[in-house]
Amino acid sequence: MKIKAGIIGGAGYTGGEMLRLLVNHPSVDIAFVHSNSNTGNLISDVHTDLLGDTDLRFTGELSDDIDVLFLCVGHGDAKKFLAANPIAAGIKIIDLSQDFRLKAAAGEDWVYGLPELNRERIKTANFIANPGCFATCIQLGLLPLAAKGLLKNEVHINATTGSTGAGQSLAATSHFSWRNNNLSVYKAFEHQHLNEIGETLLQLDANFDEVLNFIPQRGDFTRGILAAMYVESDLTAEEAQTLYEEYYAAHPFTHVSKKNIDLKQVVNTNKGLVHVEKHGNKLFVVSIIDNLLKGASGQAVQNMNLIFGLEERQGLALKAAGF
């Protein structure tokens, strides 16, 4: 029996990535793809790269004859949708918005869906709050240190994301003529993903009370996030390498590279790559992901695989574009 999946908000970037993954997932049948703005249209008319892969159409109707529901909607819209459309008991929900990521908003029912942090809890969860893209990338760079209580000083983070991180809605900073050959800082020290990162670090180290200095940047490319961060540390380079390799040894999508890393190694994949160096008393960490896959839809499918007892990599054996 295949898993029956429904998708809410299938016309956007994360919805499109979800469709690309599930159309080819060997253990999933897509039951419906909901879109208010595209009801009746062929999915392949909106996501034109899926021409020949599916004859499904967007629908404005909902069905309870599903096993899992993916909420690929904007921030604030997931709560509104669930309030207006009660979901039948037994249906797993994976929300890709930020609505249930923080404990104060989520309560006890929702599990924060970062497998490298909460894999065992995810396996028995009914409701998953999928992490943010910046948050995923940065946390992969900090988890091993936090797990050993080694974040004893403020952390400095500079991270650059591609244009798809802003979603499909047009804004002055998303036009090609502005974004191309350009670079800018936004929400310095105030990005919303700092809150979920902080909660994760406290989960691993109850005594963590250091400042996270986060400078987000908009890059002039479409996909991927590179986070470069540093913190004072007594670890040697060899100790840091061993620490990271041991932490991620059991996690199939996150790998520690002894060589420097670049975005083309992860774009179009569900991988996270991490590289560590020692410079004086500073430990320097570079972390990279594809913001739409490991930072969104790919991680959501990874969570689905864990919930339903599938092999974690199923449907996610994706190929990077090396050039």
Side-chain angles (χ1 to χ4, degrees):
M1 295 291 291
K2 287 192 174 185
I3 298 163
K4 295 179 181 178
I7 299 173
I8 306 298
Y13 287 147
T14 58
E17 288 298 277
M18 189 64 64
L19 283 161
R20 293 176 187 97
L21 294 172
L22 296 186
V23 159
N24 294 297
H25 196 296
S27 297
V28 174
D29 279 333
I30 301 173
F32 66 85
V33 186
H34 183 275
S35 172
N36 289 323
S37 59
N38 283 282
T39 299
N41 292 336
L42 283 166
I43 286 171
S44 58
D45 282 346
V46 175
H47 302 295
T48 55
D49 56 300
L50 290 177
L51 179 64
D53 294 324
T54 178
D55 293 324
L56 282 171
R57 293 179 180 271
F58 291 103
T59 180
E61 303 296 321
L62 303 176
S63 169
D64 284 336
D65 187 21
I66 55 173
D67 303 299
V68 61
L69 183 67
F70 293 97
L71 301 180
C72 302
V73 296
H75 303 315
D77 292 336
K79 275 190 174 181
K80 293 177 184 176
F81 175 85
L82 293 177
N85 301 278
I87 304 302
I91 295 175
K92 311 294 185 181
I93 300 174
I94 301 177
D95 176 31
L96 279 74
S97 81
Q98 67 182 15
D99 291 13
F100 300 100
R101 291 173 188 163
L102 300 181
K103 293 176 183 176
E108 296 299 318
D109 293 334
W110 291 80
V111 172
Y112 187 66
L114 185 65
E116 290 79 2
L117 174 72
N118 286 328
R119 176 191 273 160
E120 296 308 311
R121 291 184 64 205
I122 290 167
K123 289 179 180 179
T124 60
N126 291 315
F127 308 123
I128 295 291
N130 221 55
C133 51
F134 266 136
T136 296
C137 190
I138 292 166
Q139 288 172 125
L140 292 181
L142 298 178
L143 291 178
L145 295 171
K148 294 294 185 180
L150 296 176
L151 289 175
K152 298 177 180 179
N153 299 282
E154 60 183 312
V155 184
H156 300 270
I157 307 161
N158 186 293
T160 306
T161 186
S163 59
T164 52
Q168 260 188 343
S169 298
L170 282 177
T173 56
S174 64
H175 285 282
F176 177 82
S177 57
W178 187 91
R179 194 106 183 193
N180 188 45
N181 295 323
N182 205 359
L183 185 68
S184 65
V185 170
Y186 71 110
K187 296 182 180 178
F189 300 102
E190 298 175 351
H191 197 280
Q192 64 272 17
H193 288 185
L194 280 169
N195 295 321
E196 58 186 284
I197 297 169
E199 287 196 352
T200 289
L201 298 181
L202 281 170
Q203 179 179 329
L204 290 172
D205 179 4
N207 295 316
F208 177 78
D209 62 355
E210 301 298 334
V211 175
L212 300 174
N213 300 296
F214 177 28
I215 310 299
Q217 295 180 213
R218 304 179 183 95
D220 68 340
F221 49 92
T222 57
R223 298 173 71 121
I225 295 175
L226 185 149
M229 56 202 99
Y230 67 89
V231 62
E232 291 184 9
S233 174
D234 294 328
L235 293 174
T236 66
E238 293 75 17
E239 288 169 340
Q241 184 74 22
T242 299
L243 174 68
Y244 276 73
E245 288 176 351
E246 289 179 349
Y247 187 94
Y248 289 120
H251 296 284
F253 287 108
T254 303
H255 308 280
V256 184
S257 172
K258 291 183 178 179
K259 298 179 180 179
N260 202 357
I261 52 181
D262 63 85
L263 278 181
K264 283 194 174 182
Q265 292 175 267
V266 296
V267 169
N268 297 322
T269 80
N270 198 53
K271 288 181 183 178
L273 296 186
V274 181
H275 171 67
V276 293
E277 299 176 2
K278 192 68 188 294
H279 297 273
N281 69 338
K282 304 291 195 301
L283 185 67
F284 178 56
V285 184
V286 183
S287 178
I288 55 174
I289 64 167
D290 183 313
N291 57 293
L292 291 179
L293 287 166
K294 184 58 176 166
S297 304
Q299 188 153 242
V301 172
Q302 184 181 354
N303 283 323
M304 179 199 72
N305 287 344
L306 289 169
I307 289 171
F308 289 96
L310 304 176
E311 199 279 317
E312 197 167 341
R313 288 178 49 84
Q314 192 171 134
L316 293 168
L318 307 173
K319 175 189 173 296
F323 51 87

